[in-house]
């Protein structure tokens, strides 16, 4: 049987590039005569921008520190042991770069076992142990604290979570077993399952305390000092920590059932991690922690060797790394400053854009439209949204007044845009309308001003073709709702110069958007793929497959909503418009559905109706059913799925051949951040690779083996 030290030594050899966390032990006398105390500080030697993680060597260092304090505790030299982190960071869990390198099940098992073996020693020392959550704590960082006897948390702590299910893992170093036994199954399911599947929602310090994860809450400024005073009071008996009794009856079973319902609604059975975590929580009802730890080890090893985790890590790296350093963006030193923004249009999209530019850039923003009533409505929308932020305490009165003062509306473009550095149009999606708008703006805006278009499918080059200076026109395509979806497709027209493009990327960064550079090709990235995807669904319905079968066929992808519910969100008229645009460019692959046309002409908002009698579940609208003209070719769910995925794989292959984006990674980044494509799939290309669709359609994988998959 390997010792913990041997396990970790073997794992460390597989991962020579680990950013190693040290575990420093220092001693001091506690106040109020509470005795000599040992404090372990986790620190990787970098500032807070490189958070502390646990790779195999880091775990070995913590193990060595525990060797020392264990001996001191056994000899009566100390009265307690604490563990804390460097400034702003407690610890953010396992080093995922190391996890990616694992190729064998027993290597993965060693990582789970190694973490457990080290952390659980904190609960078996001869003296009480204390975790001081001073800063960001995630995953294994949370779990190391759960093994301690007591915990305190800082009010300033910005982010606390068990994000493993979000990535395709389970909290595997004690989280699934200890947390429900500490705070009850209902709260544990909320933290482990619900928060993870809600785009990795984070807890703040106060919530950590209110949930009962921490026993005391202190201000950030003197957090460690107050924690140590409190520790002394616990050790000398003046403070008694009371924890409510955990309900191990029906409430536990109901919590697990609720967790399964949440998992079903989010991933539709398409990703195993949430279900594995729930199995462990369910089994933890009897309080047997070691049994829970063994189950965590097995689940961790199985999931590390599965495609979902690799896809989850791949997606995480896309958003955190590639999304922050866009492929193909010009040198940022070429970017020009933006001190005033013009918005052409004052409808809902234009008003959302005005609000975003105003909040993020905090520069004057001026809207124009064709009549005063529309202009006033646009400015009114922005003012109302600022009032909402004030009401929620997100901004103070001074900031609200300042922001309101920065937004204005005028009818005369010359008056509004004469000193604007960046003008974006969000008018009707018609080429002649957009060309006319740009000609008017070019005549009055300064020579250096960027002219941006929020078009979703029209040619940026054609839009700029009649201007004197087409080099300053750039596509700047947002996704609705603008405040929520992070993606911004930045489109380089044939004439767009590097300075204009660099300025566009600079603005995108200030707007806190994930910018992806795309070629000026029909419908760019997201709309082209979604239109091909939706088009194939509509084709099979038109040919005779029942609507319900066509919709159900896509469930194994675990998408956030079904295709026809998505169409309702986008709007059937917009869906029809984009399909017409793409049909003109690629008539052999993109169809215009006569049934969709009929639905739009009938003024229907979608295919479904919702009623209280049916729990507001989507039901085919009888009026839409009467409009549908279908053939007699009926496909099975599997046939529908194959056909849809084949079409998408073909389209992505063609887009990469055309150079619409730099690499397949950019396609995935676009779909994750612009269309809510599931993180656990890694976007679309890893899924197509995993299911064998890429090779069936294109004769090759989109991504090399080992990228979003287990290394060969």
């Amino acid at each position: 049987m390997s010792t913990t030290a041997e396990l970790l030594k073997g794992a460390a050899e597989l991962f020579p590039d680990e950013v190693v966390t040290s575990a420093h032990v220092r001693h001091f006398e506690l106040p109020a005569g509470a005795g000599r105390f040992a404090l372990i500080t986790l620190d990787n030697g970098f500032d807070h921008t490189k958070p502390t993680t646990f790779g195999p060597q880091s775990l070995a260092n913590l193990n060595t520190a525990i060797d020392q304090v264990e001996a001191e505790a056994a000899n009566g030299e100390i009265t307690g042991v604490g563990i804390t982190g460097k400034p702003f960071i407690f610890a953010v869990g396992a080093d995922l770069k190391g996890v990616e390198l694992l190729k064998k099940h027993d290597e993965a098992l060693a990582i789970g076992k190694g973490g457990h073996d080290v952390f659980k020693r904190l609960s078996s020392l001869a003296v009480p142990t204390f975790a001081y959550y001073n800063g960001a704590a995630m995953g294994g960082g949370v779990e190391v604290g759960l093994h301690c006897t007591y915990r305190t948390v800082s009010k300033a702590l910005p982010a606390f979570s068990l994000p493993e299910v979000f990535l395709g893992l389970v909290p595997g170093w004690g989280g699934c077993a200890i947390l429900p036994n500490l705070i009850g199954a209902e709260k544990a399911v909320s933290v482990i399952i619900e928060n993870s599947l809600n785009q990795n929602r984070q807890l703040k310090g106060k919530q950590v305390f209110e949930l009962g994860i921490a026993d005391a809450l202190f201000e950030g400024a003197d957090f460690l000092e107050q924690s140590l005073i409190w520790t002394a009071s616990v050790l000398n008996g003046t403070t008694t920590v009371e924890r409510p009794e955990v309900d191990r009856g029906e409430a536990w079973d109901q919590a697990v059932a609720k967790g399964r319902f949440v998992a079903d609604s989010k991933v539709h059975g398409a990703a195993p991690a949430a279900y594995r975590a729930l199995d462990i929580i369910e089994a933890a009802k009897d309080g047997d922690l070691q049994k829970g730890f063994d189950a965590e080890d097995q689940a961790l090893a199985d999931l590390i060797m599965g495609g979902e985790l690799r896809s989850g890590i791949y997606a995480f790296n896309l958003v955190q790394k590639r999304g922050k350093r866009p492929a193909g963006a010009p040198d940022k030193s070429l970017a020009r400053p933006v001190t005033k923004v013009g918005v052409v249009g004052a409808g809902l999209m234009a008003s959302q854009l005005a609000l975003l530019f105003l909040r993020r850039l905090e520069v004057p923003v001026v809207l124009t439209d064709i009549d005063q009533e529309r202009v006033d409505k646009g400015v009114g929308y922005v003012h109302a949204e600022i009032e909402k932020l004030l009401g929620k305490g997100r901004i103070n009165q001074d900031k609200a007044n300042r922001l309101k003062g920065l937004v204005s509306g005028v009818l005369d473009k010359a008056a509004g845009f004469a000193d604007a550095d960046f003008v974006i149009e969000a008018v009707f999606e018609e080429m002649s309308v957009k060309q006319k708008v740009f000609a008017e703006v070019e005549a009055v805006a300064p020579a250096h001003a960027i002219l941006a278009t929020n078009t979703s499918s029209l040619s940026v080059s054609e839009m700029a073709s009649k201007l004197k200076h087409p080099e300053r026109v750039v596509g700047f395509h947002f996704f609705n709702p603008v405040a929520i979806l992070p993606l911004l497709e930045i489109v380089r027209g044939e004439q767009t110069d590097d300075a204009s493009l660099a300025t566009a990327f600079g603005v995108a960064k200030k707007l806190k958007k994930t910018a992806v550079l795309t070629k000026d090709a029909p419908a760019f990235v997201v709309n082209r793929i979604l239109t091909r995807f939706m088009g194939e669904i509509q084709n099979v319905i038109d040919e005779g497959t029942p609507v319900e079968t066509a919709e159900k066929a896509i469930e194994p992808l675990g998408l956030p909503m079904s295709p026809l519910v998505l169409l309702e969100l986008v709007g059937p008229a917009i869906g029809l418009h984009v399909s017409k645009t793409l049909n003109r460019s690629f008539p052999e692959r993109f169809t215009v559905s006569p049934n969709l046309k009929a639905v739009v002409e009938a003024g229907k908002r979608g295919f479904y109706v919702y009623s209280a009698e049916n729990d507001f579940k989507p039901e085919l609208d009888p009026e839409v059913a009467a409009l549908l003209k279908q053939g007699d070719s009926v496909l099975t769910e599997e046939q529908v799925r194959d056909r849809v995925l084949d079409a998408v794989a073909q389209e992505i292959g063609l887009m990469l051949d055309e150079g619409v984006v730099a690499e397949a990674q950019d396609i995935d980044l676009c779909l994750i951040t612009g269309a809510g494509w599931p993180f656990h799939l890694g976007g679309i290309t890893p899924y197509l690779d995993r299911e064998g669709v890429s090779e069936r359609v294109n004769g090759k994988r989109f991504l090399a083996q080992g990228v979003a998959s287990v290394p060969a």
Side-chain angles (χ1 to χ4, degrees):
M1 184 81 179
S2 297
T3 65
T4 302
E6 286 165 348
L7 274 179
L8 294 172
K9 186 169 181 289
E13 284 164 6
L14 294 171
F15 185 22
D17 298 327
E18 177 185 350
V19 176
V20 177
T21 297
S22 55
H24 307 286
V25 182
R26 58 193 169 114
H27 298 86
F28 39 79
E29 291 294 323
L30 286 172
R36 189 164 179 260
F37 190 75
L39 181 67
I40 301 170
T41 303
L42 304 169
D43 192 347
N44 61 5
F46 293 91
D47 69 11
H48 66 279
T49 59
K50 201 167 200 132
T52 306
T53 52
F54 292 118
Q57 186 54 55
S58 306
L59 286 172
N61 290 347
L62 178 57
N63 201 42
T64 302
I66 296 172
D67 283 342
Q68 180 186 336
V69 296
E70 184 178 57
E72 291 169 353
N75 294 334
E77 296 166 23
I78 53 174
T79 57
V81 174
I83 185 164
T84 193
K86 66 184 184 182
F88 310 110
I89 304 288
F90 182 77
V92 298
D95 190 325
L96 294 176
K97 291 195 293 299
V99 172
E100 285 178 275
L101 300 171
L102 301 174
K103 297 180 183 180
K104 298 188 190 124
H105 194 274
D106 59 351
E107 293 171 355
L109 199 60
I111 287 292
K113 203 166 164 3
H116 273 130
D117 287 351
V118 175
F119 288 1
K120 72 185 183 190
R121 295 180 69 195
L122 289 165
S123 60
S124 57
L125 296 182
V127 294
T129 50
F130 298 79
Y132 307 129
Y133 291 124
N134 63 303
M138 295 171 204
V142 168
E143 289 170 301
V144 71
L146 292 179
H147 284 269
C148 293
T149 327
Y150 304 101
R151 285 155 295 282
T152 67
V153 66
S154 165
K155 276 187 190 173
L157 181 144
F160 182 104
S161 65
L162 289 169
E164 287 84 352
V165 166
F166 176 64
L167 292 169
L169 277 175
V170 298
W173 284 341
C176 289
I178 300 172
L179 195 63
N181 280 292
L182 176 69
I183 62 172
E186 188 183 353
K187 291 176 182 173
V189 165
S190 172
V191 174
I192 293 169
I193 307 296
E194 285 189 80
N195 288 357
S196 279
L197 293 178
N198 278 316
Q199 293 301 312
N200 191 20
R201 187 191 290 150
Q202 301 292 321
L203 299 169
K204 299 269 194 282
K206 186 163 176 274
Q207 294 168 295
V208 174
F209 172 66
E210 286 167 353
L211 281 166
I213 299 170
D215 303 303
L217 176 72
F218 298 112
E219 293 292 345
D222 56 352
F223 170 70
L224 190 57
E225 186 185 344
Q226 292 302 319
S227 291
L228 292 170
I229 292 169
W230 180 83
T231 297
S233 72
V234 171
L235 290 174
N236 62 26
T238 54
T239 294
T240 306
V241 173
E242 303 273 353
R243 295 190 185 127
E245 190 73 28
V246 169
D247 187 335
R248 298 181 187 280
E250 204 179 314
W252 194 292
D253 302 332
Q254 284 172 347
V256 172
K258 185 190 173 194
R260 292 194 196 284
F261 175 78
V262 169
D264 285 344
S265 65
K266 291 287 184 181
V267 301
H268 310 285
Y275 303 97
R276 290 296 292 267
L278 286 162
D279 288 345
I280 301 168
I281 294 169
E282 186 173 39
K285 186 177 175 181
D286 62 4
D288 184 341
L289 292 182
Q290 187 54 52
K291 190 176 78 181
F293 298 163
D294 292 342
E296 286 175 349
D297 287 343
Q298 279 305 325
L300 210 55
D302 292 348
L303 292 166
I304 285 172
M305 298 317 292
E308 185 204 357
L309 168 69
R310 308 300 170 133
S311 295
I313 294 174
Y314 165 80
F316 185 78
N317 287 337
L318 286 182
V319 173
Q320 295 299 321
K321 295 175 183 169
R322 195 178 185 93
K324 291 181 170 58
R325 288 188 286 279
D331 192 309
K332 59 176 184 275
S333 66
L334 297 171
R336 294 190 284 260
V338 173
T339 58
K340 184 177 180 182
V341 173
V343 181
V344 187
L348 183 59
M349 191 66 176
S351 304
Q352 287 184 70
L353 295 181
L355 179 68
L356 180 70
F357 279 92
L358 183 68
R359 285 196 67 202
R360 296 283 186 242
L361 271 57
E362 295 192 25
V363 299
V365 174
V366 60
L367 296 106
T368 67
D369 212 316
I370 52 174
D371 60 54
Q372 193 63 45
E373 190 184 340
R374 292 180 203 219
V375 169
D376 292 345
K377 192 177 174 190
V379 173
Y381 169 87
V382 177
H383 280 194
E385 291 299 311
I386 291 167
E387 281 296 326
K388 283 185 199 168
L389 293 169
L390 178 65
K392 290 176 184 167
R394 302 268 295 280
I395 55 174
N396 61 25
Q397 189 66 59
D398 283 352
K399 180 92 174 259
N401 294 345
R402 193 166 77 249
L403 290 177
K404 281 186 189 174
L406 285 170
V407 65
S408 60
V410 294
L411 283 176
D412 180 8
K413 291 186 182 68
F417 299 158
D419 55 349
D421 307 301
F422 191 101
V423 180
I424 184 165
E425 69 73 27
V427 298
F428 186 65
E429 194 75 344
E430 180 71 54
M431 183 58 77
S432 58
V433 176
K434 290 185 185 282
Q435 284 180 330
K436 180 173 179 286
V437 160
F438 269 160
E440 290 169 358
V441 173
E442 188 181 46
V444 298
H448 69 270
I450 304 300
L451 307 185
T453 169
N454 185 44
T455 182
S456 60
S457 59
L458 299 177
S459 166
V460 174
S461 305
E462 190 183 336
M463 218 176 285
S465 62
K466 297 183 178 176
L467 298 178
K468 294 188 188 77
H469 294 285
E471 71 277 359
R472 56 180 174 151
V473 176
V474 63
F476 215 62
H477 179 219
F478 290 89
F479 288 78
N480 210 354
V482 170
I484 294 169
L485 289 175
L487 179 63
L488 182 54
E489 290 177 338
I490 296 187
V491 187
R492 180 171 210 151
E494 285 166 18
Q495 307 280 327
T496 311
D497 63 20
D498 281 356
S500 301
L501 204 60
T503 305
F505 274 100
V507 169
K509 190 169 185 183
K510 285 186 177 159
L511 294 175
K512 298 186 178 171
K513 291 296 178 188
T514 300
V516 175
L517 178 63
T518 101
K519 187 179 160 185
D520 186 19
F524 318 126
V525 179
V526 173
N527 283 340
R528 180 162 163 185
I529 294 168
L530 287 186
T531 304
R532 185 76 198 275
F533 174 79
M534 302 286 284
E536 216 49 55
I537 296 274
Q538 281 158 349
N539 287 344
V540 300
I541 292 170
D542 293 352
E543 289 162 20
T545 298
V547 169
E548 191 183 348
T549 305
E551 288 267 82
K552 242 176 129 40
I554 304 305
E555 276 186 6
L557 273 75
L559 298 176
M561 62 188 76
S562 75
L564 293 181
V565 173
L566 174 65
L567 180 69
E568 204 170 291
L569 188 72
V570 170
I574 292 172
L576 182 65
H577 173 80
V578 178
S579 67
K580 283 178 178 175
T581 304
L582 282 158
N583 173 255
R584 284 196 293 274
S585 302
F586 310 115
E588 68 287 357
R589 298 194 310 281
F590 287 86
T591 53
V592 178
S593 163
N595 281 321
L596 178 60
K597 198 160 173 274
V599 167
V600 172
E601 284 169 357
K604 304 302 291 184
R605 287 184 50 217
F607 277 64
Y608 292 127
V609 287
Y610 302 85
S611 64
E613 300 90 77
N614 196 32
D615 290 332
F616 297 100
K617 289 179 185 147
E619 291 177 277
L620 188 61
D621 183 341
E623 291 178 20
V624 170
L627 292 172
L628 294 182
K629 291 187 169 57
Q630 293 181 279
D632 53 12
S633 171
V634 179
L635 301 183
T636 65
E637 286 177 27
E638 197 175 342
Q639 288 170 322
V640 172
R641 188 161 55 251
D642 284 349
R643 195 163 136 184
V644 171
L645 292 177
D646 285 4
V648 171
Q650 182 195 31
E651 202 58 40
I652 293 170
L654 291 165
M655 288 166 72
L656 292 171
D657 291 346
E658 290 168 29
V660 175
V661 287
E663 292 180 288
Q665 281 88 335
D666 293 312
I667 300 265
D668 293 319
L669 183 57
C670 284
L671 285 175
I672 291 164
T673 56
W677 212 271
F679 230 78
H680 60 262
L681 295 183
I684 180 67
T685 68
Y687 182 82
L688 294 171
D689 284 350
R690 212 161 49 237
E691 297 294 310
V693 182
S694 318
E695 294 196 42
R696 182 169 77 225
V697 174
N698 301 322
K700 60 181 182 184
R701 295 169 61 94
F702 286 116
L703 301 167
Q705 186 71 40
V707 179
S709 56
V710 178

